[in-house]
Amino acid sequence: MSERPLATLAVPPRILEKLIRAGFTTSKDVIPYQCRAHELASEAGILVSAAQQVISLACESEPAEFSQVNQSQLQSQSIGSSVLELLNRGTQSKIITMSQALDGMLGGGITIGEVTEFLGSPGIGKTQIAMQLAINVQIPKFLQGVEGDALFIDTEGSFSATRIHQMATKISSQLKVLAERTSPQNIPLVPDPRSILSHIHVFRVFDQTEQLALIRSLPSTISDIEKSHGRSVRLVIFDSIAFHFRYNTDDMAARTRSLNIMSQTLTSLAKGSNIAVVLLNQVTTRVVETTGESHVVPALGEGWAHASTNRVILFTKDSLRRAHLAKSPCLRPATITFEITSSGVRDCREVEKRKRSPSPSPSPSPAPASPAPS
């Protein structure tokens, strides 16, 4: 599809300004909303009638074969999904974290087709979990893995190639040991560290505009990667989703629209493309005016809680890292412990040690003294 700038169409200046601020700059950005004018209106902050006018102008500017919405897509939208299809999505392969406790809390790991959010204070292990997942998504299918590529969107500059190489080296050696035990003929198929790193695609994002543009282009970006690397992208990571939207935001209405765009796009990407989306989020301190008390809350506000299917809160207690499942459509709230080692994310050795150590038995009562011989 050609990309004719909206500025070249007969779009009223005020409407055009709002569209561009919301990330809509060409006819290609608008035409997919041909049957969803209300969504375009919501995302751009314009009236539905104005959105319909813009869509009509964009379609008229394109050849007929491009201006019509793909009929198969329309049919799938009108038919919807059967309950059986939704149930089958819930039985998809999981991306393990290398912590049995964390995987157990998540029902086996990170679910494909859902948005999972990890939030916590700096240094708690969010990025370490994200890098572990970017490696583990590549576990071969013959070892019950997903065997896909990962996109890692770095907004904070915290991604460490040296660290992820260290983690990939350990995983590769562990997979070889496992393959030797279960399927020796497949040992050559176990990825080495260099292969693992070549299937993690890192994008550095420096501001809100770049982040919104990248999110909008994710479907085409993923398609290009899949064509060039020959296998599916199964994981998209944002580290962190909130960084560029916490500060230097004067227009709160525009910020809210941007957050809505990100939420809707990432949810659609997860479900429509059968991809696991993992969002890392920060926390902030909120002071209650009436009492003066302060407490830690997720960044981006309460409305952002609806953006994720699952929400995991990371924190420390008694010098141990802990993860609490605060939100899930089908799993009970739970809290587990985990740790970050030189190898990556693992079960907490201190807790495992306590489980294995036998409980102390009560001290035996002293035997009664034998009577002295007469």
Side-chain angles (χ1 to χ4, degrees):
M1 179 184 296
S2 60
E3 298 187 25
R4 181 168 176 176
L6 294 180
T8 64
L9 305 180
V11 180
R14 293 183 62 183
I15 302 299
L16 178 62
E17 180 183 357
K18 291 184 177 182
L19 287 166
I20 293 175
R21 289 176 61 182
F24 299 94
T25 58
T26 69
S27 56
K28 181 180 178 181
D29 298 328
V30 172
I31 289 176
Y33 290 84
Q34 194 171 353
C35 296
R36 298 178 290 128
H38 64 285
E39 292 186 16
L40 176 61
S42 175
E43 294 180 15
I46 60 179
L47 296 175
V48 174
S49 57
Q52 292 171 337
Q53 178 187 3
V54 172
I55 293 170
S56 177
L57 290 170
C59 291
E60 291 174 0
S61 70
E62 298 291 347
E65 62 267 29
F66 293 128
S67 64
Q68 295 179 354
V69 177
N70 184 278
Q71 291 301 313
S72 62
Q73 182 180 359
L74 279 176
Q75 291 174 0
S76 65
Q77 290 177 354
S78 62
I79 295 174
S81 300
S82 69
V83 175
L84 180 59
E85 289 172 335
L86 295 175
L87 184 62
N88 288 336
R89 290 177 189 173
T91 59
Q92 298 282 354
S93 299
K94 309 277 187 173
I95 306 172
I96 63 173
T97 64
M98 298 305 291
S99 165
Q100 292 185 3
L102 185 54
D103 289 338
M105 184 182 74
L106 293 171
I110 303 298
T111 303
I112 303 292
E114 293 183 353
V115 179
T116 301
E117 179 184 26
F118 289 90
L119 60 92
S121 57
I124 195 62
K126 301 187 298 295
T127 300
Q128 299 291 315
I129 292 175
M131 290 193 292
Q132 187 72 69
L133 292 171
I135 294 170
N136 292 0
V137 72
Q138 302 181 51
I139 295 176
K141 292 181 179 179
F142 72 87
L143 292 176
Q144 310 304 312
V146 174
E147 197 172 338
D149 280 25
L151 262 65
F152 199 111
I153 293 95
D154 179 17
T155 66
E156 301 185 19
S158 56
F159 183 86
S160 171
T162 302
R163 172 57 173 153
I164 203 166
H165 179 265
Q166 181 186 32
M167 298 165 70
T169 301
K170 183 62 177 180
I171 284 293
S172 180
S173 61
Q174 289 180 319
L175 293 179
K176 287 180 180 178
V177 172
L178 182 59
E180 288 175 355
R181 296 175 182 173
T182 59
S183 52
Q185 71 278 9
N186 289 323
I187 291 178
L189 301 178
V190 174
D192 59 28
R194 292 182 63 86
S195 174
I196 292 173
L197 297 182
S198 69
H199 289 282
I200 300 174
H201 312 279
V202 182
F203 294 81
R204 182 72 170 93
V205 174
F206 292 94
D207 55 38
Q208 292 185 16
T209 303
E210 286 189 6
Q211 184 165 330
L212 284 170
L214 178 58
I215 288 177
R216 284 193 176 281
S217 65
L218 275 177
S220 59
T221 300
I222 289 172
S223 177
D224 291 342
I225 291 175
E226 291 178 342
K227 290 177 182 177
S228 61
H229 286 76
R231 71 180 189 184
S232 300
V233 171
R234 306 305 301 277
L235 174 65
V236 173
I237 297 168
F238 268 88
D239 182 15
S240 70
I241 193 70
F243 184 71
H244 293 306
F245 291 86
R246 292 188 64 184
Y247 310 107
N248 301 324
T249 303
D250 298 327
D251 190 341
M252 293 304 296
R255 176 181 182 269
T256 300
R257 289 195 296 271
S258 297
L259 295 179
N260 288 337
I261 291 172
M262 290 195 299
S263 172
Q264 294 171 8
T265 305
L266 293 174
T267 300
S268 298
L269 177 71
K271 294 180 179 179
S273 301
N274 202 29
I275 289 174
V277 175
V278 172
L279 309 178
L280 307 188
N281 196 359
Q282 302 166 335
V283 293
T284 186
T285 302
R286 177 176 298 171
V287 178
V288 182
E289 295 182 359
T290 55
T291 63
E293 297 179 350
S294 62
H295 56 282
V296 175
V297 297
L300 301 183
E302 297 178 358
W304 182 255
H306 302 291
S308 59
T309 313
N310 311 287
R311 169 174 273 188
V312 180
I313 301 174
L314 307 178
F315 63 99
T316 58
K317 183 179 180 181
D318 300 330
S319 301
L320 297 176
R321 283 187 169 91
R322 301 176 188 270
H324 173 70
L325 182 61
K327 175 190 175 185
S328 173
C330 55
L331 299 172
R332 294 181 178 180
T335 303
I336 59 92
T337 56
F338 70 99
E339 68 179 12
I340 307 296
T341 70
S342 59
S343 300
V345 180
R346 297 293 186 271
D347 282 322
C348 183
R349 288 171 291 188
E350 183 64 28
V351 172
E352 292 300 314
K353 189 186 302 181
R354 293 174 187 171
K355 290 180 179 179
R356 290 193 296 266
S357 60
S359 56
S361 55
S363 302
S365 303
S370 302
S374 53

